Amino acid sequence: MASKSYDTFKYLRSGKYDWKVQARVLNLWRGYTKKENLSNPSIYYYWIVSVAEYMHLFLDIQIIFSRETKISDLEESDVFIEKVAFDFYDLGDLEELSKQTTYLIDVVGVIEEAELNLAKFKNRLGEPQTQIKFHICDGNSRVKVTFWDAFAELFHEAIEEGFEWPLIVIIGSGRVTLWKEEVDISNVGATTFYINYNHYSVNHLRNMLKEKNFIEEQNTILKKEPVPLLNIKEIKELPEEYLEKQVLCNVKVKKVNTQQNWFKHICTSCYEEAKKVNGKFNCICGPRDVPYPEKWFNLCVVCCDSTGEIEIVLENVAGQKCYGKHVCDILDEDDESNFPKSLNTIEDEDYKFQIAIQNGKGPMESKKFVAKDIVSEKYPNNNDDNQPRPLEESYAEHSTSTFHLDTLSEIN
């Protein structure tokens, strides 16, 4: 019996409509809303396919199925096609790719964190979401990774299966963005992951981990100034060079200020404050209408220790941890026109705040002390940003849109 003749992807060109190719389906998804991981990718024989020119990051063509396309399932033993295929980018080259939104990338790296946790919260539409954050490195560079929703849960379940640590992950078809001058890789419908996969890139990184130079270079990347633990008297006496820096402080909340607004409205594009002008919310950074602003904690409290008292503003993350709720949850329980009595429940409670020293407003306030986070046994120190953060610290979206890009990773 004569062997069948097949074309290969290497020689596909547009203008011809009777190509015959054998191919393995590496992953499968429906549009940008449904994602399916194929644990046993199938092999198919495609007959009569249309090839169109397409500006792809790696190739200049794509295959388009039409009504005339014929697809036949093949047995694994009939062909030899690699089960995975990647086109890796160095982590140090991702910043340039973050400036575009068309292409996805493949990367491989060592997961730095020894423990990965899921964060569950409500987005600005009041819908529940899940998020997991971590960093990967290759000995020369490090980048942040943020997985969302069911994909994050799938990843978290996978790492609980007892893999060798440190984990080395391959991320296929990840989306690269730049948020607050930091590169971030997230998932979309096409994204896949492989943990400690038997691949030459993973084996190469595993061998590099044994080298002293890799550890030294990575320690240089991770090196950060320690956050000092100070008392209230020391914080008040800090010199001007500490402006915009952060310190830790153990305090007791003496009194909640009920005379000032306890939350503020936030622009959903840039996450700066939004002010109400002529009945409409506008971003303070520019002439932008914000029809559905976020509501974030901005609660003023008086705190004390053995050295004195200090007024601290609890920002959103610290406020959420103090009360275990979002602003919208508290407003649902109480009239927005009144100061909720439940906010007084933190009085006489002890906290370790991570405080940012900022410029005050006007001559009567030279410095402003803002609680960015809480550090305690219940809430571990997040100075390295290892803990996942709520959505508002991840991706901005256009103010006039109610379409949430971060829900695109949902697995049905």
Side-chain angles (χ1 to χ4, degrees):
M1 182 177 177
S3 60
K4 296 181 180 179
S5 176
Y6 296 104
D7 300 296
T8 64
F9 288 152
K10 181 178 180 180
Y11 298 108
L12 295 186
R13 297 292 183 271
S14 59
K16 182 179 176 181
Y17 297 91
D18 58 349
W19 302 98
K20 298 179 182 179
V21 297
Q22 290 178 328
R24 183 188 297 276
V25 178
L26 298 179
N27 54 19
L28 177 68
W29 69 98
R30 187 180 301 278
Y32 285 94
T33 58
K34 185 174 182 180
K35 167 74 176 62
E36 298 177 21
N37 278 322
L38 300 181
S39 56
N40 295 302
S42 301
I43 303 173
Y44 291 98
Y45 157 54
Y46 298 96
W47 179 38
I48 308 180
V49 296
S50 174
V51 180
E53 294 182 357
Y54 182 69
M55 186 58 68
H56 191 275
L57 196 58
F58 318 118
L59 301 174
D60 58 358
I61 60 172
Q62 69 170 342
I63 295 176
I64 301 173
F65 293 166
S66 66
R67 293 182 178 180
E68 289 75 27
T69 302
K70 297 180 180 179
I71 303 176
S72 301
D73 196 358
L74 299 178
E75 295 295 330
E76 184 75 38
S77 58
D78 291 343
V79 294
F80 177 75
I81 302 176
E82 292 186 15
K83 293 188 176 182
V84 294
F86 305 106
D87 194 345
F88 290 118
Y89 269 74
D90 291 337
L91 300 184
D93 296 334
L94 298 188
E95 184 170 350
E96 186 65 27
L97 286 172
S98 69
K99 300 175 183 178
Q100 55 79 43
T101 58
T102 303
Y103 306 118
L104 306 175
I105 55 96
D106 301 334
V107 294
V108 59
V110 180
I111 296 179
E112 295 178 354
E113 288 77 8
E115 182 178 355
L116 301 178
N117 300 301
L118 282 172
K120 296 189 177 182
F121 54 92
K122 290 183 179 180
N123 62 24
R124 68 182 182 85
L125 301 178
E127 300 167 341
Q129 284 201 276
T130 306
Q131 180 191 75
I132 190 168
K133 284 186 179 182
F134 55 94
H135 291 85
I136 59 174
C137 63
D138 59 9
N140 295 313
S141 304
R142 71 192 295 257
V143 298
K144 185 168 68 175
V145 179
T146 307
F147 288 156
W148 294 92
D149 301 323
F151 193 84
E153 295 177 6
L154 183 67
F155 181 81
H156 190 257
E157 290 175 6
I159 63 176
E160 298 292 312
E161 295 182 4
F163 287 103
E164 176 187 359
W165 286 75
L167 300 178
I168 299 178
V169 62
I170 295 174
I171 301 174
S173 300
R175 171 176 174 249
V176 186
T177 58
L178 193 67
W179 175 248
K180 293 186 177 179
E181 300 182 355
E182 183 178 12
V183 172
D184 188 288
I185 301 173
S186 61
N187 61 288
V188 292
T191 306
T192 57
F193 65 83
Y194 303 81
I195 300 173
N196 289 0
Y197 193 70
N198 185 18
H199 190 266
Y200 74 88
S201 62
V202 175
N203 297 333
H204 177 65
L205 270 180
R206 186 74 66 187
N207 290 330
M208 287 180 63
L209 283 170
K210 302 174 184 177
E211 299 176 6
K212 182 180 178 181
N213 289 342
F214 182 92
I215 301 299
E216 290 178 348
E217 290 175 4
Q218 197 56 40
N219 286 341
T220 301
I221 295 172
L222 298 176
K223 189 175 181 181
K224 291 186 177 182
E225 292 184 16
V227 180
L229 177 63
L230 306 178
N231 59 40
I232 289 177
K233 183 176 183 295
E234 291 170 330
I235 292 176
K236 286 184 173 181
E237 295 174 351
L238 287 173
E240 292 295 318
E241 52 262 33
Y242 263 84
L243 285 174
E244 304 307 324
K245 293 186 178 181
Q246 298 189 9
V247 298
L248 299 176
C249 186
N250 289 312
V251 298
K252 181 187 292 291
V253 176
K254 184 177 180 180
K255 184 175 179 58
V256 174
N257 189 331
T258 61
Q259 304 303 312
Q260 297 184 16
N261 292 333
W262 61 278
F263 69 90
K264 58 184 177 181
H265 294 89
I266 298 295
C267 173
T268 53
S269 287
C270 63
Y271 295 123
E272 294 295 335
E273 190 170 0
K275 296 286 189 180
K276 204 168 191 177
V277 180
N278 297 326
K280 294 182 178 180
F281 284 100
N282 290 278
C283 179
I284 62 173
C285 292
R288 182 191 301 119
D289 290 339
V290 187
Y292 303 104
E294 293 269 8
K295 293 183 177 71
W296 286 10
F297 279 100
N298 192 55
L299 179 64
C300 185
V301 296
V302 177
C303 300
C304 63
D305 66 6
S306 60
T307 67
E309 295 184 358
I310 190 172
E311 194 173 77
I312 298 174
V313 177
L314 303 185
E315 285 200 340
N316 205 44
V317 173
Q320 288 177 13
K321 288 186 175 181
C322 278
Y323 296 102
K325 299 177 181 179
H326 292 255
V327 169
C328 58
D329 296 326
I330 297 176
L331 290 175
D332 288 342
E333 300 168 359
D334 210 313
D335 188 347
E336 186 171 343
S337 62
N338 299 321
F339 190 91
K341 294 181 180 179
S342 60
L343 294 179
N344 295 321
T345 56
I346 65 171
E347 291 182 352
D348 296 325
E349 294 290 336
D350 295 321
Y351 296 98
K352 179 185 283 187
F353 287 129
Q354 185 170 320
I355 299 172
I357 294 89
Q358 300 178 355
N359 268 318
K361 297 179 180 179
M364 301 299 293
E365 184 186 35
S366 59
K367 294 177 184 175
K368 180 181 178 181
F369 305 100
V370 178
K372 295 288 187 178
D373 205 345
I374 293 177
V375 181
S376 68
E377 292 182 0
K378 184 177 180 181
Y379 305 107
N381 191 332
N382 288 324
N383 296 336
D384 294 330
D385 196 28
N386 292 339
Q387 286 292 110
R389 285 286 193 258
L391 180 64
E392 54 262 28
E393 294 193 15
S394 297
Y395 300 110
E397 62 183 48
H398 197 280
S399 302
T400 57
S401 173
T402 58
F403 186 68
H404 220 281
L405 290 177
D406 297 307
T407 61
L408 298 182
S409 60
E410 183 177 355
I411 303 173
N412 293 327

